[in-house]
């Protein structure tokens, strides 16, 4: 009788091993081979078997999500995401690994689509997922994506400097300059020592002022024999520009220089001082530059 019980137990254990071969190293190798050969359906079948017992293995979920994405099965992608969450797998590890794997495959849309689908299907994770999307769009230099995501993030955290700067930069990149300036001004309202805002506003006003000055000079130079009135009008336009755009640039860049002196800021300020005939300030910049070279 004891022999029969022992035989029955042994038979039962063998059946379990046959049904759940997750620890079989051959299966892991087979999964890797199928994945490397882009045999996505075959890879998925093995990942399913391995995940029965190896429930916390991040690489298995990554392989399954990528494979399911490649066969255009969003429901399967969501299944593996939910399974990973149910088994306590770190979302950070999952996101980072899927991002890395999709870049290796040169199909980064896998990662983006996964995040977008999660945001839609699991709205309670919207804020977290938007942060990952923001990093992704910044890496991809996708200004429209940055604008869309920061719009949602700033609804919850309207004073977050990183989100404000990212949105301001992106708006500038797509040509929405006026809106961009508003965000950098907003940053200064929150923090009157924000270096990024001072540099952006200073360089922006210098750039716009230089373009407008060039236009003014070109218009005057096209006159063959300018009259005194035309010359007086030309000089007034120059002075007005120096007292507005260039004065604003000077104000912002002097603030930036006080926070963090750099050769570039000094060079731009020197240019402004010369154009605005601020001799003492221009000489001070030259002396500071000379001392820097001696050190």
């Amino acid at each position: 009788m004891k022999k029969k019980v022992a035989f029955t137990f042994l038979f039962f254990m063998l059946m379990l091993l046959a049904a759940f071969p997750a620890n079989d190293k051959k299966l892991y190798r087979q999964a890797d081979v199928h994945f490397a050969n882009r045999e996505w359906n075959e890879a998925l079948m093995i990942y399913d078997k391995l995940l029965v017992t190896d429930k916390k293995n991040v690489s298995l979920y990554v392989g399954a999500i990528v494979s399911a994405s490649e066969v255009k099965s969003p429901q399967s992608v969501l299944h593996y995401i939910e399974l990973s969450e149910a088994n306590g797998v770190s979302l950070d590890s999952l996101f980072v690994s899927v991002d890395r794997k999709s870049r290796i495959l040169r199909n980064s849309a896998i990662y983006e689509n996964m995040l977008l689908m999660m945001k839609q299907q699991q709205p309670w994770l919207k804020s977290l997922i938007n942060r990952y999307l923001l990093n992704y769009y910044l890496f991809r230099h996708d200004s429209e994506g940055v604008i869309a995501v920061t719009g949602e993030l700033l609804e919850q955290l309207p004073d977050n400097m990183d989100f404000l700067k990212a949105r301001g930069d992106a708006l500038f990149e797509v040509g929405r300059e006026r809106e961009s300036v508003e965000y950098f001004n907003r940053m200064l309202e929150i923090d009157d020592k924000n270096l990024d805002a001072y540099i952006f506003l200073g360089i922006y006003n210098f750039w716009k002022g230089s373009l407008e000055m060039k236009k003014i000079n070109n218009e005057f130079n096209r006159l063959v024999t300018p009259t005194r009135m035309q010359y007086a009008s030309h000089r007034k336009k120059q002075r007005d520009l120096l007292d507005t755009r260039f004065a604003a640039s000077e104000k912002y860049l002097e603030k930036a220089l006080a926070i963090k002196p750099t050769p570039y800021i000094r060079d731009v300020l020197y240019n402004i001082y010369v154009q605005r005939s601020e001799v003492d300030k221009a000489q001070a910049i030259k002396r500071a530059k000379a001392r820097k070279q001696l050190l």
Side-chain angles (χ1 to χ4, degrees), residues 27 39-50 80:
L27 277 180
E39 298 164 349
W40 309 118
N41 285 311
E42 291 81 354
L44 275 172
M45 290 174 63
I46 298 178
Y47 289 133
D48 279 333
K49 291 181 181 180
L50 293 171
Y80 291 115

Side-chain angles (χ1 to χ4, degrees), residues 270-287:
Y270 180 77
N271 188 313
I272 295 170
Y273 293 152
V274 169
Q275 292 194 66
R276 300 192 71 216
S277 300
E278 296 179 309
V279 179
D280 291 342
K281 288 185 175 182
Q283 288 297 325
I285 288 286
K286 288 186 72 174
R287 287 194 296 270

Side-chain angles (χ1 to χ4, degrees), residues 111-124:
Y111 177 61
E112 180 187 10
N113 290 337
M114 179 191 76
L115 293 177
L116 290 173
M117 181 173 62
M118 284 187 70
K119 187 166 76 167
Q120 182 180 18
Q121 298 295 327
Q122 301 181 341
W124 56 90

